[in-house]
Amino acid sequence: MGGCTLLWCGTVGNEAKTRVKICEAWGKDGTNQAYQKKAACKSGRTSYVKPGRTRGTDTDEDLDALYVPKGKTFKGSYVCTFGGSKGKMTWTHKKSGWWKFGTDCEVLIRSIS
C-alpha cells in the first residue's frame, strides 16, 4: 500500500467489539484531526479494521480517516508525533462523519456505543 512517511503511517487500532470503517486514500485537502465537510475518500479505498486488530505502521499502510456512523459514539485516544495529540477523545457523527488524521497519528478506538 505505502504512502507512509519515513517511520510514520496513519494508524488505527480497534479495541472495540465492532469493526471500524477507514479511508485508505483521502482524495482532497482537509484539516487533520478534524471532521470533514464532505466525504472525499477515493473510490474503492474504504475498508475496515476488525475488532482486536491494528492497521497502519505495522502493516505498511497509511490510513487517512475513520468514519463515525450517525448515532454512534466512539471512545478512545490519539497521539500525533508532530502535535495535535489528545489523550482521551470522544468521536460522534459530525458533518460527513469522516474524521481525518495525519500520517504521523495513531488513533485508538476503545469502545463503540
Side-chain angles (χ1 to χ4, degrees):
M1 293 257 162
C4 302
T5 305
L6 298 174
L7 302 174
W8 300 282
C9 296
T11 300
V12 174
N14 182 6
E15 292 182 355
K17 295 179 181 178
T18 306
R19 64 188 188 162
V20 174
K21 187 175 184 178
I22 55 164
C23 175
E24 300 166 347
W26 197 254
K28 295 185 178 187
D29 289 337
T31 303
N32 286 330
Q33 291 74 259
Y35 291 96
Q36 305 303 297
K37 291 179 183 178
K38 294 182 180 180
C41 191
K42 290 184 179 180
S43 181
R45 298 303 305 271
T46 61
S47 61
Y48 294 88
V49 179
K50 295 177 183 176
R53 304 295 293 257
T54 298
R55 290 182 54 193
T57 302
D58 293 347
T59 55
D60 195 32
E61 299 173 273
D62 181 31
L63 308 180
D64 293 334
L66 64 89
Y67 182 75
V68 181
K70 195 169 191 172
K72 295 292 183 181
T73 299
F74 290 15
K75 290 188 178 183
S77 61
Y78 70 91
V79 176
C80 303
T81 302
F82 300 112
S85 302
K86 189 156 186 164
K88 289 186 179 179
M89 178 75 183
T90 299
W91 292 268
T92 57
H93 186 92
K94 294 180 184 171
K95 300 179 183 175
S96 68
W98 286 103
W99 191 79
K100 186 177 178 303
F101 50 89
T103 295
D104 64 317
C105 297
E106 292 182 33
V107 178
L108 177 62
I109 305 301
R110 294 188 187 276
S111 67
I112 299 172
S113 56

